[in-house]
Amino acid sequence: MFMTARKTSKTAGWLLLAALLPLLAAWPPLPAWAAESAEDQQVPQEEIVVVVTATRLPQSPEELPVKTAVLTRKELESLPAPTVAGALQRVAEVDLKEQGTPGGLATAYVKGLSSDRVVILVDGRPVNSPQQAGVDLSTLPLGNVERIEVVEGPSSALYGPNAGAVINLITRRPQEAPAFELHRSVTSDGGNRLFWSAGGAAPAAGGSSTGQRASFLLTEERITSPGWRPNSDLATEAYTGRVDFELGPGQELSLSGRWYKGEQGVPGPTYWPSPRARQQDEQSGEALRYRRQLRQDLTLSADLYHNDLFLRYLDPDANTDSRHRTRTDGVELLLAREGEGGRTTLGASWRGDTVESTNLDPSPSRAENGALFLEQQKTRGQLTWSLGGRWDHHSAYGDQVSPRAGLVWRAGAATTWRVALGKVFRAPTFNDLYGDYSPFYRGNPALQPEITWTAEVGARRRFSDRLTGEFSLYRHQQWNRIQATADWSTMENVGEAAVTGLDLGLQWEVRPGWSVALGTTALEGRDLTTGAALPHLSPLQAKLALEHRSPGGATEAGVSARFQSAHQETDPLGSGLVTVPGYTLVDAYWSRRLPAPILGGQARLRLGVSNLFDWSAEDLLGYPLPGRTVTLALSAAF
C-alpha cells in the first residue's frame, strides 16, 4: 500500500531538515565572506571535471552561469539500471516520469520544465522527435555512454527550440574504451542484459609510435525481460559503431552510427488495461564530424547527421494500428575561439524533418529550420560574463530570437556566485500543428511558439576540504502557452504560467572513502490566468546517497534514497485533477573487483537492489513502479 500523506510529509520533513541544517550551520553571512583568511581560501586538489554542453567549449562547471550536473562513467557503471532513464534518477533536479514496466515510457522534467521543453542530445546532436517533442529515455541504453551532462538552465541561445534544459549523452571514443569489454547481468524478475564492446587502433603512417591514424569501436547491447505486469515483456537490441581518423596535425574525422530495435507489451494503466497491446520501436542514426585546428586559439568543426525513428502501436482490442516514421537531416558549422580572458562561439545550423503518420493530416508533413547563433564569454579579474543569442527561422511558425546572459563572480577561492537570464521557446510539434485523431482531436496550424523567460541566481561554497554546498533560486515565466482547449478538440495559445523553484545541494566526504550527497528541489507552479496549480509538478523531491570506496577502489558500496511528494495530474477519466500519492524508495549496491588473469584484464562483480523495502509507488497515475528487484552483474575488460 502507499504511504499515507502524513507519513510522506514526515519523511519529507526529515530529508529537508537534513539538507538545511549543515548549510545553515556552516554558511557564513555575506560580510564574513570578504574577511576570509588565506588559509580558509585554500581549495583542495581534486579530480578535474570538464563539460562541453553548456557553452559548446570545454569548461569547468564552476565557470558556468547555469548549473550543469555530470554523471561519469564510474557512476554509470555502479547503477543496476540499463538505460538513461535509470541513470538520471541520480540527478537531484531531474524528476523522472516512468510508466514503470520494462521499456515503459520514461520522460524527464528538469527544474519544473516538462519533457517537451528538454532537449536530448547524443554527442551534441538532437534526437527529440519533432512529432511529439520528447524522447523516451527507456530506449537509450547506457552501455556505450561515457558520461551524461545535464545543463539545468535556459539553452535556446545555443540549441534552439525546446531547450529549457539540455541532456547530452556523450558516447565513448575508441581511445577511451578497453580493447574488449563484456558485461552480463540478470535480475530477480527474469531480466537479462548483455553488453560487449571491441575496439582497436592502427599506427600512424611510417610506423611512428607516437600517434594513431585510425581507431574504431563496436558495441552490442541486448536487454530482455518478461515484465512484472501482464503484457509487459520487453526485448531490445542496440548496436553502435565509430571510426576516428587522424588526417594530419590538428585534423580529425569521425564517422559514427547507431541502431536500436525494441518490441514490448504495453499493459496500459491499471484503471484501463490493454492486455494485448504491443509496441515496436526502431531507431537509427548516422553522423559525420570533421574538426580542424585552424590556429592555436581557433577551431572549426562541421557536423552532418541523419536520424530515423519508427514506432508502431497495435491494440486489437481498441481496433488501433498506428504507425509513425520521422526522418531528420541536419548540418551544423561551428567556429570556436579560446584565448586569454575570453571565448567566442559562432555557429550556423540547418535541420529538415519529415513525418509520415497515420495520425497526421497531411502525411507526410515536412518542416525546415535554419539558425545562426553567437555567444561570447569574457573574464576580467574575479568576474566572467557571457552574452549570446540565436536566430531561428522555421518554415511553419516563422522567426524566433533567443538571447541569454550570464555572470559568474568568484568571491574568493572558496565561493562562486552565478546569475543567468535567458529566453526559451517551446515550438509547436507536428502533432500540435497537424494531428488528426478525428472525430476527437485536430491540430491547429496557426499555433505560435510558447515563450519562457528564465531567471536564476545561485552560489557554490566550499566550507572545508570535505564539505561543499550550493543553492539555486529560479523562476520560469511563460507566455502564449500551448495547451489543449477546454473540450480537448485542438491546441491553442492561451494564458500565462510561472514556476518558482529552490534547489539545495550538499556534497560531504565524511571521512576518506566515505561520501554523502544530498539534493532537494522545491517547486511551486501556477497558471496565472486561472490561479490553479500546474499539474504533474511534485512540490518537493529529495535524493540522498551514501557511498563507500575502499582504498584503490577494490570494493564499492552505496545506499541511495529518493523522496517524491504527492502531486496532481489531470484526471484521465473525467474533469478536474486527481492526486498521485508521494513515495520514498531506497536502492543499494555493492561491487568487488575480481582477479582476471586472462590477458591481464580486470573483472568486477556487482550486486544491486532496487526498491530495497518493496514499497509501492507511482510516478504517473495507474502506472505502479516495480517492487524489490535484485540485479547480479559481472563485467570484464581487457
Side-chain angles (χ1 to χ4, degrees):
M1 298 295 293
F2 288 103
M3 296 190 302
T4 64
R6 183 174 181 178
K7 185 176 181 181
T8 56
S9 297
K10 183 177 180 180
T11 305
W14 281 111
L15 287 170
L16 186 59
L17 184 62
L20 288 172
L21 281 180
L23 292 173
L24 295 177
W27 204 300
L30 183 61
W33 294 357
E36 292 173 311
S37 67
E39 182 179 353
D40 292 335
Q41 295 283 339
Q42 293 178 358
V43 179
Q45 297 295 318
E46 60 181 20
E47 181 181 358
I48 297 176
V49 177
V50 176
V51 300
V52 297
T53 311
T55 63
R56 303 284 190 110
L57 291 169
Q59 286 188 263
S60 163
E62 295 186 10
E63 299 175 326
L64 303 173
V66 293
K67 185 175 183 294
T68 301
V70 181
L71 294 175
T72 64
R73 178 74 180 181
K74 179 172 287 294
E75 291 175 296
L76 298 177
E77 289 177 341
S78 70
L79 300 172
T83 68
V84 171
L88 290 173
Q89 294 282 18
R90 290 184 66 98
V91 182
E93 294 79 13
V94 174
D95 179 7
L96 202 67
K97 303 294 186 184
E98 296 184 276
Q99 291 188 353
T101 53
L105 179 66
T107 58
Y109 280 55
V110 180
K111 288 188 170 179
L113 295 177
S114 57
S115 60
D116 53 3
R117 299 165 180 86
V118 178
V119 168
I120 310 297
L121 308 173
V122 174
D123 290 327
R125 307 175 189 99
V127 295
N128 293 62
S129 166
Q131 185 176 359
Q132 297 176 329
V135 174
D136 184 355
L137 299 171
S138 72
T139 66
L140 300 175
L142 274 178
N144 193 38
V145 177
E146 177 66 20
R147 70 182 188 275
I148 300 176
E149 297 180 0
V150 183
V151 182
E152 303 170 7
S155 300
S156 279
L158 286 177
Y159 295 101
N162 312 320
V166 176
I167 300 174
N168 191 10
L169 316 180
I170 299 174
T171 61
R172 306 182 81 174
R173 294 172 59 91
Q175 299 91 337
E176 296 171 332
F180 183 77
E181 183 177 10
L182 179 66
H183 178 98
R184 181 78 166 85
S185 66
V186 295
T187 60
S188 57
D189 60 1
N192 286 272
R193 180 191 179 209
L194 173 66
F195 170 80
W196 65 262
S197 70
S208 170
S209 60
T210 61
Q212 293 178 339
R213 185 177 59 187
S215 54
F216 73 92
L217 180 66
L218 302 174
T219 75
E220 178 187 6
E221 188 162 5
R222 292 177 179 266
I223 300 172
T224 62
S225 174
W228 62 280
R229 291 180 58 196
N231 189 38
S232 64
D233 59 291
L234 171 71
T236 72
E237 52 184 318
Y239 301 89
T240 69
R242 174 168 172 167
V243 183
D244 289 349
F245 301 92
E246 293 184 8
L247 304 179
Q251 294 188 72
E252 298 175 353
L253 183 67
S254 176
L255 176 64
S256 60
R258 57 186 178 87
W259 181 79
Y260 168 92
K261 183 178 181 180
E263 182 169 349
Q264 66 193 75
V266 184
T270 54
Y271 55 79
W272 198 340
S274 50
R276 295 199 294 164
R278 308 293 296 177
Q279 181 172 304
Q280 299 171 356
D281 290 272
E282 189 170 331
Q283 304 177 19
S284 63
E286 303 82 36
L288 181 67
R289 172 171 289 174
Y290 173 75
R291 184 177 183 274
R292 180 167 185 174
Q293 195 83 26
L294 300 178
R295 61 183 195 222
Q296 186 174 2
D297 64 342
L298 191 63
T299 303
L300 171 68
S301 61
D303 271 283
L304 182 66
Y305 64 91
H306 170 79
N307 295 329
D308 196 304
L309 310 175
F310 173 77
L311 185 146
R312 182 187 183 189
Y313 177 79
L314 177 65
D315 185 356
D317 296 325
N319 195 28
T320 300
D321 185 2
S322 61
R323 307 179 188 212
H324 319 275
R325 181 176 292 279
T326 300
R327 295 180 179 88
T328 298
D329 296 291
V331 60
E332 181 179 88
L333 297 175
L334 185 69
L335 194 63
R337 181 180 180 275
E338 296 183 78
E340 289 188 10
R343 297 176 171 90
T344 302
T345 302
L346 174 65
S349 67
W350 173 88
R351 170 173 170 162
D353 296 302
T354 302
V355 180
E356 299 177 61
S357 171
T358 54
N359 297 121
L360 287 185
D361 182 20
S363 179
S365 292
R366 180 167 175 82
E368 297 182 2
N369 186 85
L372 298 172
F373 55 91
L374 170 68
E375 184 160 273
Q376 189 168 40
Q377 186 182 74
K378 293 288 186 181
T379 299
R380 294 291 184 269
Q382 295 177 305
L383 292 176
T384 298
W385 59 265
S386 59
L387 184 64
R390 172 170 165 138
W391 167 73
D392 283 88
H393 177 75
H394 193 274
S395 58
Y397 54 77
D399 298 330
Q400 286 292 318
V401 176
S402 306
R404 181 173 73 171
L407 181 68
V408 177
W409 174 41
R410 290 167 292 281
T415 304
T416 302
W417 283 86
R418 51 184 173 78
V419 179
L421 175 67
K423 175 188 171 184
V424 175
F425 69 99
R426 191 282 222 196
T429 66
F430 278 74
N431 273 358
D432 294 334
L433 295 167
Y434 313 117
D436 183 6
Y437 296 82
S438 302
F440 307 105
Y441 170 86
R442 295 277 302 184
N444 180 0
L447 285 174
Q448 293 297 304
E450 171 186 302
I451 304 301
T452 299
W453 278 91
T454 294
E456 179 171 345
V457 60
R460 189 174 190 268
R461 167 73 178 178
R462 186 181 297 277
F463 302 114
S464 69
D465 290 357
R466 297 181 177 179
L467 181 64
T468 301
E470 57 187 329
F471 85 91
S472 297
L473 179 64
Y474 47 91
R475 183 177 177 88
H476 311 299
Q477 192 84 19
Q478 301 172 346
W479 290 271
N480 216 33
R481 282 172 56 83
I482 300 175
Q483 57 190 39
T485 56
D487 60 1
W488 290 85
S489 62
T490 189
M491 305 297 285
E492 61 182 348
N493 291 108
V494 62
E496 300 180 18
V499 177
T500 303
L502 172 65
D503 300 334
L504 298 173
L506 182 72
Q507 299 84 41
W508 182 21
E509 185 184 5
V510 182
R511 52 181 297 182
W514 291 87
S515 62
V516 174
L518 177 64
T520 63
T521 296
L523 292 170
E524 198 266 343
R526 193 159 299 279
D527 187 319
L528 300 181
T529 304
T530 65
L534 294 179
H536 306 292
L537 292 186
S538 298
L540 180 65
Q541 66 176 25
K543 300 180 181 181
L544 173 67
L546 170 64
E547 296 183 297
H548 170 65
R549 187 172 188 265
S550 65
T555 302
E556 298 176 355
V559 178
S560 61
R562 69 180 188 269
F563 164 79
Q564 199 87 345
S565 67
H567 68 275
Q568 292 186 318
E569 289 186 10
T570 303
D571 185 358
L573 299 180
S575 59
L577 299 174
V578 293
T579 298
V580 179
Y583 64 82
T584 300
L585 295 179
V586 179
D587 302 332
Y589 76 92
W590 171 89
S591 73
R592 174 73 181 178
R593 188 167 59 225
L594 303 176
I598 303 176
L599 302 179
Q602 288 190 347
R604 198 164 195 97
L605 179 68
R606 292 182 174 86
L607 178 67
V609 184
S610 302
N611 194 359
L612 181 64
F613 299 110
D614 202 26
W615 287 337
S616 298
E618 288 183 348
D619 280 325
L620 301 167
L621 184 68
Y623 292 95
L625 297 176
R628 182 189 298 115
T629 306
V630 180
T631 301
L632 181 64
L634 180 64
S635 59
F638 309 100

